[in-house]
Amino acid sequence: MKKKLAKIIGVNVLVASQILLAACSNNNEQASGDTEKYDPESKVEVNWTAILHTASPPTDVVLKEIEEATNSTINFNWVPDASKEERITAALASGELSDIVSLTMMTNSSVRQSLKTGMFWDVEKYLDDYDNLKLISEDIRTAASIDGKLYGVPFQKDLARSGLLLRKDWLDNLGLEVPKTLDELFEVARAFTEDDPDGNGKDDTVAFSDRSDLRYSSFKTLSSYFGTPNGWQVEEDGTFTPEFETQAYKDTMNYSRDLYKNGYLDQDFAVTAKTDQQQKFAQGKAGIYTGMVDIKNLKTMAEGIQDEMEIVPINKIESPDGGNHIWSENSGVGGLMAFPKSEVKTEAELKRLLQFINDLIDEEVFMMMTGGIEGTHYETDSNGAFTILDNDLWQKDVQPFSSSRPSEITHSLVDADPSKQLVNELIKENAEFAVLDPTVPLDSETANERGTELEKIIVDATIKYIMGEIDEKAFDEAVDKWKKSGGDAMAKEYEEAYKKAQG
């Protein structure tokens, strides 16, 4: 633990020194090149550091089509999602960056620090010059900004995508209804674990397939159902309270602790990666999965293994207050496509890259990055319903591109798979009761410098509590450590930034 912490601190220090050097040198570089004319029709070579959410990078089949449509040559530097924190942080520290860097970890200390210190271009004043980029809403621009500056093109996402997927065939086998309350969900979890839901006569199922990432595991979604604020709560007097100091957060911990104690929550969740979590569900070892957007992937993974699988998506579990709540992922912002000044040295180069991003949002290219090549990877019927023709081919040629689409909301598809289309509709409905994180558009120097390190204190304590390794007193001691290590300072800084923003 000490070695790992020392490594994190060392990297952060290195990031800071590299950032200052980059900020100084790049001012001189831009001064000499800003008079260069911008030619939107010129072919552009793009080096792009992007996040890979699949096991393998895509083939070149669809890439060539994207390049032709955008008049570009694209060189992807794919960073696996599981190692993005370490890889992106190291790249920021070393200065070994690409023309475009996908920064999806907007709360990461090193990322925020690099953005604040001028390492990347502020693109706000350029967006309205492009037909697609000008459509980015003011709310999304504000949420993606730091100190009023927009250091990249925001990845546009739906406001709130979270929810649960349950084995509908297991519910039917056990004579159970789709749960509507937390108590009903707990009973389903019990039955999925104890009552042989697949009817094979073996004690070989668990309810919740889960993973170590508290944000995207069951915990954050369950926390929403209990009415926990998203990250922070703004009190009536303008002060900020962290979510883990609320009773709703502790109620969620106790609920998850009971799930774990009874064996209804994957006993290996603390060391399980997303792909393994998906495999356990697809192989029929688990019956509840957090993440509605993954429904089609899970069904595809289950082909030939669990062909009888039926999945029902759920976006509403009634909270103790009688309402519905679901956390919003960064207020509809999935991160930034940022342009390092060390690589993009002139305004003309920046404008050409912005044209490239703008072109990626065109419906033609959006469909390439979503479905692939019509007639080869997908087809649409007379009603416009979208169908993948060959899942294996689509996964190899197309799927890895989907997470790099600049916008998931500019165009909408009617999915020929009724369950996936239902998920799309439920995600839209989530916007009606989405809970926003009030700190997304705010800045805190402490969060920039030590936010990731401080977050780890709480994450570790929460996981240990769920697993029964510590009691409530020990958890409260971890919270006190968080406060003394910078948490109180962070809360004060957010309070000041909030009052300043309120005018």
Side-chain angles (χ1 to χ4, degrees):
M1 177 67 76
K2 290 182 178 178
K3 288 182 179 180
K4 187 172 182 181
L5 182 57
K7 180 180 178 182
I8 293 171
I9 295 172
V11 168
N12 284 339
V13 170
L14 183 56
V15 167
S17 62
Q18 291 287 345
I19 288 168
L20 291 173
L21 288 172
C24 293
S25 63
N26 285 319
N27 288 337
N28 295 330
E29 290 170 349
Q30 293 150 31
S32 63
D34 282 351
T35 57
E36 182 184 337
K37 291 184 178 180
Y38 153 58
D39 179 6
E41 302 301 325
S42 63
K43 187 166 186 175
V44 62
E45 181 172 357
V46 181
N47 297 309
W48 187 352
T49 297
I51 309 302
L52 182 68
H53 290 267
T54 56
S56 303
T59 65
D60 291 341
V61 174
V62 175
L63 176 61
K64 291 176 181 177
E65 299 291 326
I66 296 172
E67 290 177 330
E68 183 176 347
T70 58
N71 195 21
S72 65
T73 300
I74 311 171
N75 304 308
F76 278 104
N77 171 29
W78 293 106
V79 176
D81 181 65
S83 59
K84 67 183 177 185
E85 193 120 9
E86 181 179 351
R87 291 273 296 275
I88 294 296
T89 301
L92 293 172
S94 67
E96 296 179 1
L97 301 169
S98 304
D99 303 323
I100 303 173
V101 182
S102 294
L103 298 175
T104 60
M105 308 171 296
M106 293 298 289
T107 59
N108 179 276
S109 305
S110 297
V111 169
R112 292 186 70 86
Q113 193 174 21
S114 68
L115 292 169
K116 279 196 67 178
T117 49
M119 199 173 191
F120 297 91
W121 285 85
D122 178 358
V123 304
E124 171 71 27
K125 67 179 182 180
Y126 303 102
L127 297 186
D128 289 341
D129 295 335
Y130 303 88
D131 59 343
N132 290 321
L133 299 182
K134 71 181 181 182
L135 300 177
I136 300 174
S137 71
E138 286 301 320
D139 287 343
I140 286 181
R141 295 187 194 196
T142 299
S145 297
I146 296 178
D147 280 349
K149 296 184 183 296
L150 187 59
Y151 294 111
V153 177
F155 282 105
Q156 299 174 74
K157 304 278 189 180
D158 285 296
L159 196 60
R161 302 185 300 163
S162 291
L164 301 175
L165 298 176
L166 273 70
R167 286 288 297 262
K168 176 64 166 55
D169 52 320
W170 285 12
L171 289 173
D172 293 343
N173 290 345
L174 298 173
L176 296 172
E177 298 294 326
V178 174
K180 294 181 175 62
T181 67
L182 285 160
D183 287 343
E184 290 176 2
L185 179 61
F186 195 92
E187 171 56 22
V188 167
R190 183 205 65 75
F192 275 12
T193 308
E194 297 179 352
D195 292 351
D196 191 21
D198 57 2
N200 68 354
K202 299 178 182 178
D203 182 13
D204 59 355
T205 59
V206 67
F208 281 89
S209 172
D210 225 334
R211 65 182 188 262
S212 58
D213 182 349
L214 283 187
R215 186 173 176 85
Y216 293 103
S217 68
S218 65
F219 185 82
K220 185 74 171 176
T221 297
L222 290 173
S223 182
S224 291
Y225 298 155
F226 273 97
T228 305
N230 187 1
W232 294 79
Q233 180 168 285
V234 184
E235 308 296 345
E236 290 186 6
D237 61 357
T239 58
F240 277 64
T241 299
E243 61 179 358
F244 45 82
E245 283 201 281
T246 65
Q247 185 58 47
Y249 189 96
K250 287 192 172 182
D251 290 342
T252 310
M253 287 203 304
N254 286 325
Y255 188 91
S256 297
R257 186 183 177 112
D258 286 344
L259 288 172
Y260 184 84
K261 178 182 177 182
N262 287 286
Y264 310 157
L265 174 66
D266 186 351
Q267 300 295 285
D268 296 325
F269 84 93
V271 292
T272 299
K274 178 180 179 179
T275 53
D276 294 325
Q277 175 197 17
Q278 292 176 324
Q279 286 292 345
K280 289 179 180 180
F281 187 90
Q283 293 170 4
K285 297 177 181 178
I288 304 176
Y289 179 92
T290 308
M292 292 194 299
V293 293
D294 288 333
I295 188 168
K296 183 170 284 189
N297 290 344
L298 292 170
K299 289 173 70 175
T300 299
M301 292 169 69
E303 289 178 358
I305 306 171
Q306 292 281 304
D307 289 331
E308 71 280 10
M309 177 185 287
E310 293 180 56
I311 304 176
V312 58
I314 302 173
N315 73 325
K316 294 178 181 176
I317 293 291
E318 184 179 301
S319 295
D321 63 9
N324 295 118
H325 315 286
I326 195 65
W327 68 285
S328 171
E329 302 163 270
N330 298 318
S331 302
V333 178
L336 294 173
M337 287 159 281
F339 310 92
K341 294 177 181 177
S342 59
E343 307 302 316
V344 185
K345 295 183 171 62
T346 68
E347 187 178 56
E349 292 177 39
L350 174 66
K351 288 182 175 180
R352 182 62 186 90
L353 289 170
L354 287 170
Q355 181 65 54
F356 167 74
I357 298 295
N358 182 82
D359 293 344
L360 291 179
I361 303 176
D362 284 345
E363 187 171 12
E364 175 191 10
V365 185
F366 169 83
M367 287 305 301
M368 291 176 187
M369 300 180 78
T370 303
I373 301 169
E374 189 168 11
T376 300
H377 300 99
Y378 75 94
E379 65 181 6
T380 54
D381 64 20
S382 57
N383 297 317
F386 171 86
T387 304
I388 298 294
L389 296 174
D390 184 327
N391 278 310
D392 289 339
L393 188 64
W394 177 80
Q395 286 177 328
K396 289 189 293 185
D397 294 345
V398 187
Q399 186 181 15
F401 290 115
S402 62
S403 60
S404 293
R405 293 173 298 177
S407 175
E408 296 180 9
I409 63 174
T410 305
H411 309 289
S412 58
L413 295 174
V414 176
D415 203 292
D417 181 336
S419 62
K420 181 62 169 69
Q421 183 56 28
L422 176 57
V423 165
N424 295 341
E425 294 166 5
L426 294 180
I427 287 174
K428 298 297 182 187
E429 185 181 46
N430 275 352
E432 300 172 10
F433 45 87
V435 181
L436 305 185
D437 181 346
T439 68
V440 167
L442 304 179
D443 193 52
S444 156
E445 192 61 35
T446 302
N448 296 338
E449 293 176 356
R450 303 197 303 280
T452 305
E453 173 190 338
L454 290 170
E455 181 183 32
K456 192 174 186 306
I457 295 173
I458 302 301
V459 169
D460 287 349
T462 301
I463 290 175
K464 288 179 179 178
Y465 185 88
I466 291 171
M467 296 176 68
E469 295 179 4
I470 63 173
D471 57 15
E472 186 173 353
K473 180 181 178 182
F475 179 81
D476 290 340
E477 289 171 354
V479 172
D480 287 338
K481 178 182 178 182
W482 175 88
K483 289 181 176 182
K484 294 173 183 176
S485 301
D488 280 342
M490 196 189 309
K492 187 67 175 176
E493 289 161 3
Y494 279 138
E495 177 185 343
E496 293 169 354
Y498 178 76
K499 289 179 178 177
K500 182 179 178 181
Q502 296 295 306

